[in-house]
Amino acid sequence: MSVSPTWLGTVAHLHITARAFLPMRGMEAIELVAGRGILGDRYMLGTEEGFYSAKPEDGRQITLFEEEALECIRRDHGIELLPEEHRRNVTTRGVPLTHLVGRRFKLGDCLLEATRLSIPCRHIEEILEKPVFDPMINRSGLNCRILEGGTVRLGDAIRPV
């Protein structure tokens, strides 16, 4: 007997940046383009300006990070990491990101496929001047491919399909 997932999450924060090393900009909405990425973001395929742009990755069109991980990093390590500082595009609330690898799910009206867990890099410590590399191991978010694009807004639902 198959059991359907019972979680339902929300979009807590949205961020993009045009180039590596620039601060992430908070957005009320972002536009996802199927097979390419987010309009105006550094990793949109064909216009890459990100830290890893020399290694374009089809499965890194949009990145997600759990708001709960920010709370754990603060609690367990005493480090205040703000939503714009983790360098991912979407901060989620109530979404089990680590369980979604290889699965499809809805982000608002858009359809995503989770490709792999994100891994932290030392680049983030250079930008933030905070010792966040070790605390972010196993808490670094999720990389996804955009299968169906559209507009994602703050407060949109995130749900399994």
Side-chain angles (χ1 to χ4, degrees):
M1 174 193 221
S2 177
V3 177
S4 297
T6 58
W7 58 270
L8 177 65
T10 58
V11 173
H13 303 276
L14 295 168
H15 291 92
I16 63 170
T17 188
R19 290 196 339 259
F21 297 100
L22 291 179
M24 298 293 282
R25 289 184 301 127
M27 309 291 286
E28 292 195 19
I30 56 175
E31 190 68 28
L32 279 56
V33 179
R36 294 209 44 221
I38 304 168
L39 285 180
D41 190 60
R42 68 207 182 277
Y43 287 119
M44 183 154 180
L45 295 177
T47 61
E48 297 93 341
E49 293 286 334
F51 188 74
Y52 292 105
S53 291
K55 303 176 194 174
E57 185 180 320
D58 180 53
R60 188 180 55 222
Q61 296 168 6
I62 184 169
T63 55
L64 292 79
F65 194 92
E66 293 178 3
E67 190 171 55
E68 294 86 349
L70 298 175
E71 296 163 4
C72 290
I73 291 168
R74 179 175 35 256
R75 180 196 67 219
D76 298 347
H77 302 278
I79 298 170
E80 182 76 23
L81 186 64
L82 303 175
E84 65 271 18
E85 292 180 323
H86 57 65
R87 310 291 293 173
R88 306 294 181 251
N89 303 117
V90 181
T91 305
T92 67
R93 167 59 75 184
V95 181
L97 295 181
T98 58
H99 301 288
L100 296 180
V101 174
R103 297 180 185 263
R104 293 179 176 192
F105 62 98
K106 296 289 262 187
L107 176 66
D109 292 329
C110 301
L111 180 64
L112 304 184
E113 180 179 49
T115 57
R116 69 174 176 86
L117 296 177
S118 298
I119 54 173
C121 69
R122 297 288 178 188
H123 170 68
I124 195 168
E125 287 189 329
E126 293 172 29
I127 292 172
L128 299 178
E129 298 180 348
K130 294 180 181 182
V132 295
F133 179 85
D134 288 340
M136 287 181 73
I137 292 174
N138 299 320
R139 294 179 173 156
S140 201
L142 184 67
N143 291 0
C144 298
R145 179 178 297 115
I146 302 167
L147 301 178
E148 295 175 9
T151 303
V152 175
R153 293 177 176 79
L154 292 175
D156 275 358
I158 307 169
R159 62 193 181 286
V161 292

